[in-house]
Amino acid sequence: NAGVTQTPKFQVLKTGQSMTLQCAQDMNHNSMYWYRQDPGMGLRLIYYSASEGTTDKGEVPNGYNVSRLNKREFSLRLESAAPSQTSVYFCASSIPGQQETQYFGPGTRLLVL
Amino acid sequence: GEDVEQSLFLSVREGDSSVINCTYTDSSSTYLYWYKQEPGAGLQLLTYIFSNMDMKQDQRLTVLLNKKDKHLSLCIADTQTGDSAIYFCAENGGYNKLIFGAGTRLAVHP
C-alpha cells in the first residue's frame, strides 16, 4: 500500500496562475481532506469530502476549489494563485469510526511569487 | 469556537523525559490525538486517547488527560535524538474534522 500520495512535491507559481494539486489514497477510505500548514499556525482545514460525490468547506476555503473525482482521488485547485497561498498543502484520508484517525500524505510545497 | 493551544518549543537533553502540553476547548471531543511531523514529511499519528480515559501508555509514550481542565500531555521517556520533530495536539471537531494546535518543536541535544 502506498497510503496517501500527493503530486507535485514542489511548485513555484506566479501570481494569477492556476494549478491543481493531486491526491490519491489506496486504503479504500471514505473521507478525504485538504489542509494547509503555515508557520506557527498548525494545520487548517481547507475542504473535506465525507464520501464520494460530496464536498464541504472547511475553515479557510476562499481561493480554492476541490473535486472528489472518485473514491480514491481528491484534487485541490487554485484558479488564480496569490502570494498568501504560499504554504505547504497536505492531503489526508480516514474511515469514520476507526478512532477517526487521519492518514496524511507527504505534502506539496507551493511558492507563489 | 474550538481552539487548541500548545507551547511552540521544547528543548531536552538526550535520555531525559519530555513533556509536551496542550489545552483544548471543545469538551465534547470524543478523541484527542498526538501527531508527529519529521522534517519535510507529513504528519504521522503517534497515539490517541478516548475522552473517557485519563491515561494511556504505549512503550515510551504516556498520554495524560485532565478532562476537567481540558489539558492533554504527551510524555516521552528516555528521549532520543530520533524524537526530534514537531508534535501536534489535535481534537476531534465533529464530522471527522480535526482541530490542530500550532505544534511544539522538540529539540533533543546530547
Side-chain angles (χ1 to χ4, degrees), chain A residues 33 37 94 99-102, chain B residues 33 35 37 48 88 92 96:
Chain A
Y33 313 82
Q37 183 181 26
S94 71
Q99 297 85 39
E100 299 163 18
T101 300
Q102 293 189 13
Chain B
Y33 309 83
Y35 279 83
Q37 184 182 33
Y48 64 91
F88 290 92
N92 181 290
N96 256 22

Side-chain angles (χ1 to χ4, degrees), chain A residues 56-72:
Chain A
D56 286 285
K57 294 178 180 178
E59 183 186 353
V60 288
N62 291 347
Y64 305 96
N65 285 302
V66 290
S67 295
R68 184 73 183 268
L69 304 168
N70 47 55
K71 193 170 186 179
R72 288 189 65 247

